[in-house]
Amino acid sequence: MPLGQRERSDIADAEAPALGDLVEHAVGRVPASVSATWRRLRATPAGAEAGELVAAIAVQGGGKHLRARLACAAYLGLGGTSEAVCDALGSAVQLLHLGLCIHDDLIDGDDRRHGRPNVVGTVRAARAADGDAPGIAERQAAAAGLLAGDLAIGASVRALAGAALPPGIRSDLTLELLDALDETIAGEWLDVRGEQQPVDEARPVRTAELKTARYSVVLPLRLGAIASGGADAAVLAGLSAYGRHLGVAYQLKDDELAVFGDPAQTGKSVSSDLRGGKRTALLQLALDLADPAARRVLDRDVGRADLPEAGVERIRVILRECGALEAHRDLIVEHAAAAVSALESARLPAGLHGYLQVIARAVPGRSS
């Protein structure tokens, strides 16, 4: 006789103390699953022709695998038991993240990620070493970034389409990913368009909801829940609300660390957002709270590509002294708390509920 939802919840609750260990074990397999994806692609005629692209993608990766953790936690916490399904979910969200990061780097003009050359940087260096003219090398590198990102996103869809699940569930998972991809593209465009808008007209929180929260948190949770077969409408709605708030909190924290973080821990510049004039909630708060003299400094210096380090530090002082940094941290705490509150309506098994609470409560204090 099939188990009802309450019985499945009771089973998950009984296993709750082991959920964290189960998730870590599953996530530990993700790098191997992703590597297997590239090996399979290399063995195809397309892979043989695109071998340079595949090789450039295959050495990317790293990160904290948060998306894989969320997908596997939702799947296992709601009663899923298949290692093969966990592997498909984990590799799908990791591959999607990889593809979107490759595209994001291309849009932002970055040639490094996690402290090493990304696809664009790798191909640009290879072309320069071959003696290509700078313009040709640049065009080749940009094309490589576009096409490599496409390959990774396609591999993500294939991972879900081939998961060891009934056809109807595979279809639902694939549509979930495509819906998230639509919203992420909309968020990326909102971000790019925001670069040309006055700071007070930008929409950084909405951008974070679309560009970051939807694919980084909401999607993995919904994929895991749907694949488990243990999710009703209330579970999916609660996980979606949790994911939206958690994703915004994460992005806001990233924006803080991009100005006040330790590059040795974050692996990112702490001046590029200020020199690039990125439209963040932190900057909006500063313009609202700073006195007229400080606002004139912000208007003059934020967005100056040639701003010296002393000028960057002067902006940091303004952000602290006007109260913008403190207000921004309060906003992060508010979204993290809202994520925890959203779990109450989802009626999750205790193990999954607790696991997701811990993740949300850790966001305000993270340093990388």
Side-chain angles (χ1 to χ4, degrees), residues 11 22 53 59 66 112 117 139 146 155 160 162 239 259 281 295 307 319-320 333 338 350 357:
I11 290 173
L22 291 172
L53 288 180
V59 297
L66 172 67
R112 299 182 71 82
R139 183 176 182 278
L146 177 64
L160 294 181
L239 290 175
V259 179
R295 280 199 298 273
L307 187 66
L319 295 176
R320 289 191 190 96
V333 171
Q357 276 188 328

Side-chain angles (χ1 to χ4, degrees), residues 18-76:
L19 179 59
D21 292 338
L22 291 172
V23 170
E24 291 308 303
H25 181 67
V27 172
R29 298 193 304 270
V30 169
S33 295
V34 171
S35 294
T37 296
W38 303 130
R39 287 197 299 275
R40 286 192 295 270
L41 180 56
R42 284 193 185 98
T44 68
E49 298 295 341
E52 183 181 11
L53 288 180
V54 177
I57 303 170
V59 297
Q60 306 299 311
K64 297 180 284 291
H65 292 99
L66 172 67
R67 296 155 193 85
R69 279 188 173 81
L70 292 171
C72 293
Y75 175 72
L76 296 168

Side-chain angles (χ1 to χ4, degrees), residues 89-167:
L89 295 172
S91 59
V93 295
Q94 183 67 14
L95 288 163
L96 178 64
H97 176 55
L98 176 59
L100 291 172
C101 284
I102 293 170
H103 284 168
D104 193 53
D105 286 348
L106 179 61
I107 291 168
D108 292 344
D110 294 331
D111 61 5
R112 299 182 71 82
R113 182 171 283 268
H114 299 308
R116 60 175 182 260
N118 58 17
V119 171
V120 170
T122 298
V123 173
R124 181 189 290 129
R127 291 295 172 273
D130 289 343
D132 288 348
I136 294 174
E138 189 60 40
R139 183 176 182 278
Q140 293 275 313
L146 177 64
L147 297 172
D150 289 347
L151 275 177
I153 293 170
S156 173
V157 176
R158 186 177 290 109
L160 294 181
L165 288 162

Side-chain angles (χ1 to χ4, degrees), residues 165-237:
L165 288 162
I169 293 180
R170 289 202 304 268
S171 176
D172 288 345
L173 295 177
T174 303
L175 290 174
E176 281 285 336
L177 186 147
L178 294 175
D179 286 345
L181 184 59
D182 287 345
E183 293 190 26
T184 304
I185 291 170
E188 185 71 66
W189 182 239
L190 192 62
D191 193 25
V192 171
R193 292 292 297 145
E195 295 171 0
Q196 304 303 316
Q197 294 176 324
V199 175
D200 60 352
E201 293 180 12
R203 301 161 64 195
V205 172
R206 179 58 174 157
T207 300
E209 287 179 351
L210 291 170
K211 181 182 172 182
T212 303
R214 184 63 173 90
Y215 96 88
S216 289
V217 188
V218 177
L219 175 66
L221 290 171
R222 288 180 64 91
L223 290 179
I226 292 168
S228 76
D232 59 16
V235 167
L236 291 174

